[in-house]
CSV table of all heavy atoms in Angstrom, one decimal:
chain,number,residue,atom,x,y,z
M,315,ALA,N,10.6,38.3,28.4
M,315,ALA,CA,9.5,37.5,28.9
M,315,ALA,C,8.7,37.0,27.7
M,315,ALA,O,8.3,37.8,26.8
M,315,ALA,CB,8.6,38.5,29.7
M,316,VAL,N,8.5,35.7,27.7
M,316,VAL,CA,7.8,35.1,26.6
M,316,VAL,C,6.4,34.6,27.1
M,316,VAL,O,6.4,33.8,28.1
M,316,VAL,CB,8.6,33.9,26.0
M,316,VAL,CG1,7.8,33.2,24.8
M,316,VAL,CG2,10.0,34.4,25.5
M,317,PRO,N,5.3,35.0,26.5
M,317,PRO,CA,4.0,34.6,27.1
M,317,PRO,C,3.7,33.1,27.0
M,317,PRO,O,2.9,32.7,27.8
M,317,PRO,CB,3.0,35.5,26.3
M,317,PRO,CG,3.8,35.9,25.1
M,317,PRO,CD,5.2,35.9,25.4
M,318,GLY,N,4.3,32.4,26.1
M,318,GLY,CA,4.0,31.0,26.0
M,318,GLY,C,2.6,30.7,25.5
M,318,GLY,O,1.8,30.0,26.1
M,319,ILE,N,2.2,31.4,24.5
M,319,ILE,CA,0.8,31.4,23.9
M,319,ILE,C,0.5,30.1,23.3
M,319,ILE,O,1.4,29.5,22.6
M,319,ILE,CB,0.7,32.5,22.9
M,319,ILE,CG1,0.9,33.9,23.6
M,319,ILE,CG2,-0.7,32.5,22.2
M,319,ILE,CD1,1.0,35.1,22.6
M,320,ARG,N,-0.6,29.5,23.6
M,320,ARG,CA,-1.1,28.3,22.9
M,320,ARG,C,-2.3,28.6,22.1
M,320,ARG,O,-3.3,29.2,22.6
M,320,ARG,CB,-1.4,27.2,23.9
M,320,ARG,CG,-0.1,26.6,24.5
M,320,ARG,CD,-0.3,25.2,25.0
M,320,ARG,NE,-0.6,24.3,23.9
M,320,ARG,CZ,-1.3,23.2,24.0
M,320,ARG,NH1,-1.8,22.9,25.1
M,320,ARG,NH2,-1.6,22.5,22.9
M,321,VAL,N,-2.3,28.2,20.9
M,321,VAL,CA,-3.5,28.6,20.0
M,321,VAL,C,-3.9,27.3,19.3
M,321,VAL,O,-3.1,26.5,18.8
M,321,VAL,CB,-3.0,29.6,18.9
M,321,VAL,CG1,-4.2,30.0,18.1
M,321,VAL,CG2,-2.3,30.8,19.5
M,322,THR,N,-5.3,27.1,19.3
M,322,THR,CA,-5.8,26.0,18.6
M,322,THR,C,-6.1,26.4,17.2
M,322,THR,O,-6.6,27.5,17.0
M,322,THR,CB,-7.1,25.5,19.2
M,322,THR,OG1,-7.1,25.9,20.6
M,322,THR,CG2,-7.3,24.0,19.1
M,323,ASP,N,-5.8,25.6,16.2
M,323,ASP,CA,-6.1,26.0,14.8
M,323,ASP,C,-7.6,26.0,14.6
M,323,ASP,O,-8.4,25.4,15.3
M,323,ASP,CB,-5.5,24.9,13.9
M,323,ASP,CG,-4.0,25.1,13.6
M,323,ASP,OD1,-3.6,26.2,13.7
M,323,ASP,OD2,-3.3,24.1,13.3
M,324,PRO,N,-8.1,26.8,13.6
M,324,PRO,CA,-9.5,26.9,13.3
M,324,PRO,C,-10.0,25.5,13.1
M,324,PRO,O,-9.4,24.6,12.5
M,324,PRO,CB,-9.6,27.7,12.0
M,324,PRO,CG,-8.3,28.3,11.9
M,324,PRO,CD,-7.3,27.6,12.7
M,325,LYS,N,-11.2,25.2,13.6
M,325,LYS,CA,-11.8,23.9,13.6
M,325,LYS,C,-11.8,23.2,12.2
M,325,LYS,O,-11.5,22.1,12.1
M,325,LYS,CB,-13.2,23.9,14.2
M,325,LYS,CG,-13.3,23.4,15.6
M,325,LYS,CD,-14.6,22.7,15.9
M,325,LYS,CE,-14.6,22.1,17.3
M,325,LYS,NZ,-15.4,22.8,18.3
M,326,ALA,N,-12.2,24.1,11.3
M,326,ALA,CA,-12.4,23.5,9.9
M,326,ALA,C,-11.1,23.2,9.2
M,326,ALA,O,-11.0,22.4,8.3
M,326,ALA,CB,-13.2,24.5,9.1
M,327,ALA,N,-10.0,23.8,9.7
M,327,ALA,CA,-8.7,23.6,9.1
M,327,ALA,C,-8.2,22.2,9.5
M,327,ALA,O,-8.1,21.8,10.7
M,327,ALA,CB,-7.7,24.6,9.6
M,328,GLN,N,-7.8,21.4,8.5
M,328,GLN,CA,-7.4,20.0,8.8
M,328,GLN,C,-5.9,19.8,8.5
M,328,GLN,O,-5.5,18.8,8.1
M,328,GLN,CB,-8.3,19.1,7.9
M,328,GLN,CG,-9.7,19.2,8.3
M,328,GLN,CD,-10.7,18.3,7.4
M,328,GLN,OE1,-10.9,18.8,6.3
M,328,GLN,NE2,-11.1,17.2,7.9
M,329,CYS,N,-5.1,20.8,8.9
M,329,CYS,CA,-3.7,20.8,8.7
M,329,CYS,C,-3.1,19.5,9.4
M,329,CYS,O,-2.2,18.9,8.9
M,329,CYS,CB,-3.0,22.0,9.3
M,329,CYS,SG,-3.7,23.6,8.7
M,330,GLY,N,-3.6,19.2,10.6
M,330,GLY,CA,-3.0,18.1,11.3
M,330,GLY,C,-3.2,16.8,10.5
M,330,GLY,O,-2.2,16.0,10.4
M,331,GLU,N,-4.4,16.5,10.0
M,331,GLU,CA,-4.6,15.3,9.2
M,331,GLU,C,-3.7,15.3,8.0
M,331,GLU,O,-3.2,14.2,7.6
M,331,GLU,CB,-6.1,15.2,8.8
M,331,GLU,CG,-7.0,14.7,10.0
M,331,GLU,CD,-7.7,15.9,10.6
M,331,GLU,OE1,-7.1,17.0,10.7
M,331,GLU,OE2,-8.9,15.8,10.9
M,332,VAL,N,-3.6,16.5,7.3
M,332,VAL,CA,-2.8,16.5,6.1
M,332,VAL,C,-1.3,16.3,6.5
M,332,VAL,O,-0.6,15.5,5.8
M,332,VAL,CB,-3.0,17.8,5.4
M,332,VAL,CG1,-2.0,18.0,4.2
M,332,VAL,CG2,-4.4,18.0,4.9
M,333,LEU,N,-0.9,16.9,7.6
M,333,LEU,CA,0.5,16.7,8.0
M,333,LEU,C,0.9,15.2,8.3
M,333,LEU,O,2.0,14.8,8.1
M,333,LEU,CB,0.8,17.5,9.3
M,333,LEU,CG,1.4,18.8,9.1
M,333,LEU,CD1,1.5,19.6,10.4
M,333,LEU,CD2,2.8,18.7,8.6
M,334,LYS,N,-0.1,14.5,8.9
M,334,LYS,CA,0.1,13.1,9.2
M,334,LYS,C,-0.1,12.2,8.0
M,334,LYS,O,0.1,11.0,8.1
M,334,LYS,CB,-0.8,12.7,10.4
M,334,LYS,CG,-0.3,13.2,11.7
M,334,LYS,CD,-1.0,12.5,12.9
M,334,LYS,CE,-2.3,13.2,13.1
M,334,LYS,NZ,-3.1,12.7,14.2
M,335,GLY,N,-0.5,12.8,6.9
M,335,GLY,CA,-0.7,12.0,5.7
M,335,GLY,C,-2.1,11.3,5.7
M,335,GLY,O,-2.3,10.4,4.9
M,336,VAL,N,-2.9,11.6,6.7
M,336,VAL,CA,-4.2,10.9,6.7
M,336,VAL,C,-5.2,11.4,5.7
M,336,VAL,O,-5.9,10.7,5.1
M,336,VAL,CB,-4.9,11.1,8.1
M,336,VAL,CG1,-6.2,10.5,8.2
M,336,VAL,CG2,-4.0,10.5,9.2
M,337,LEU,N,-5.0,12.7,5.4
M,337,LEU,CA,-5.8,13.3,4.3
M,337,LEU,C,-4.9,13.9,3.2
M,337,LEU,O,-3.8,14.3,3.5
M,337,LEU,CB,-6.7,14.5,4.8
M,337,LEU,CG,-7.9,14.3,5.7
M,337,LEU,CD1,-8.5,15.6,6.0
M,337,LEU,CD2,-8.9,13.3,5.1
M,338,LYS,N,-5.4,13.9,2.0
M,338,LYS,CA,-4.6,14.6,0.9
M,338,LYS,C,-5.0,16.1,1.0
M,338,LYS,O,-6.1,16.4,1.5
M,338,LYS,CB,-5.1,14.1,-0.5
M,338,LYS,CG,-4.8,12.6,-0.6
M,338,LYS,CD,-3.4,12.3,-0.9
M,338,LYS,CE,-3.1,10.8,-1.1
M,338,LYS,NZ,-1.9,10.4,-0.5
M,339,PRO,N,-4.1,17.0,0.6
M,339,PRO,CA,-4.4,18.4,0.7
M,339,PRO,C,-5.8,18.8,0.2
M,339,PRO,O,-6.5,19.5,0.9
M,339,PRO,CB,-3.3,19.1,-0.1
M,339,PRO,CG,-2.2,18.2,-0.1
M,339,PRO,CD,-2.8,16.8,0.0
Side-chain angles (χ1 to χ4, degrees):
V316 180
I319 298 167
R320 287 208 61 208
V321 186
T322 336
D323 279 334
K325 258 212 173 107
Q328 293 177 286
C329 307
E331 284 100 318
V332 174
L333 261 175
K334 280 192 280 183
V336 176
L337 287 184
K338 301 284 182 215

